[in-house]
Amino acid sequence: MADMGGAASANSATEMLEDGVRRRDWIHIAALSTAGVGAASVLIPLVSQMAPSADVLAESTTDVDVSAIQPGQSIRSVFRRQPLFVKRLTAAEIAEANAVNVSSLRDPETLADRTLPGNEDLLVTMGVCTHFGCVPLGSNEGENKGDFNGYFCPCHGSHYDVAGRIRRGPAPLNLAVPNYEFKSEGVIRVG
Ligand code: FES
């Protein structure tokens, strides 16, 4: 199921994001993620597949098994070569997110706007700060979640809330929610 391209590519990926994603996160990625490309890539020569073009990357999808994520837990994956955060919210965190006056937000979105219907507890966002693209903290146990119990970007001090919405600091927008859907029970397909 997992397609990590061997130890060499795993090491390369680790080096590529070593300042933002710790090695053990990539171990999680190896265990929980698969990446695929759309049918169009079938016709693309092998050489091109080894060094995917921008078009192929743009069409790529990532499947993430979310079935084992317990309330209050998060995992990291990778989507189109960028960190992806997947968090299972607790009932208290859902209530906290829904208690916010949305009109007061810099980038007004409800939790429902940012999740799939019937799955408000599953928050899927890019792990990329919308200021200058650093990887925020908060998806690993014990990390600084900022002042709003979500994510904290240490580069310039952006605080995101429990729903990944920008609440303080220079970031202009909420953490992006990629397109995704349930591919099967417990597995989402991102992209
Ligand atoms: S890159 Fe995150 S606050 Fe600047």
Side-chain angles (χ1 to χ4, degrees):
M1 167 176 160
D3 180 14
M4 296 300 294
S9 67
N11 288 340
S12 173
T14 302
E15 290 164 10
M16 183 176 65
L17 289 176
E18 65 185 355
D19 60 342
V21 181
R22 295 189 303 217
R23 179 173 177 76
R24 67 188 178 92
D25 301 323
W26 285 92
I27 294 172
H28 290 170
I29 291 165
L32 293 165
S33 302
T34 61
V37 295
S41 67
V42 171
L43 302 176
I44 296 173
L46 178 61
V47 171
S48 296
Q49 290 184 27
M50 294 172 68
S53 68
D55 287 349
V56 172
L57 278 176
E59 293 176 3
S60 67
T61 60
T62 296
D63 293 347
V64 183
D65 184 346
V66 302
S67 61
I69 309 174
Q70 298 301 309
Q73 291 183 337
S74 298
I75 64 168
R76 289 191 189 191
S77 183
V78 64
F79 173 56
R80 295 177 185 168
R81 296 186 174 179
Q82 295 188 314
L84 180 77
F85 294 166
V86 183
K87 175 160 69 172
R88 180 86 65 190
L89 300 175
T90 64
E93 287 172 329
I94 292 171
E96 181 181 336
N98 287 334
V100 173
N101 177 2
V102 174
S103 64
S104 71
L105 297 176
R106 186 178 302 168
D107 183 10
E109 285 185 315
T110 65
L111 177 62
D113 291 335
R114 296 173 55 73
T115 54
L116 296 180
N119 291 276
E120 262 195 356
D121 61 331
L122 191 69
L123 182 69
V124 180
T125 66
M126 299 308 299
V128 180
C129 181
T130 60
H131 184 219
F132 284 146
C134 289
V135 179
L137 302 173
S139 65
N140 285 316
E141 195 171 343
E143 285 185 346
N144 185 352
K145 293 177 181 289
D147 292 347
F148 298 88
N149 196 29
Y151 301 103
F152 172 67
C153 182
C155 289
H156 311 96
S158 285
H159 297 252
Y160 297 88
D161 71 11
V162 72
R165 300 173 296 197
I166 183 63
R167 300 293 295 275
R168 182 182 299 153
L173 298 170
N174 303 332
L175 293 182
V177 175
N179 290 327
Y180 69 97
E181 61 184 4
F182 274 91
K183 174 191 173 193
S184 59
E185 187 172 347
V187 177
I188 58 171
R189 172 158 288 176
V190 185

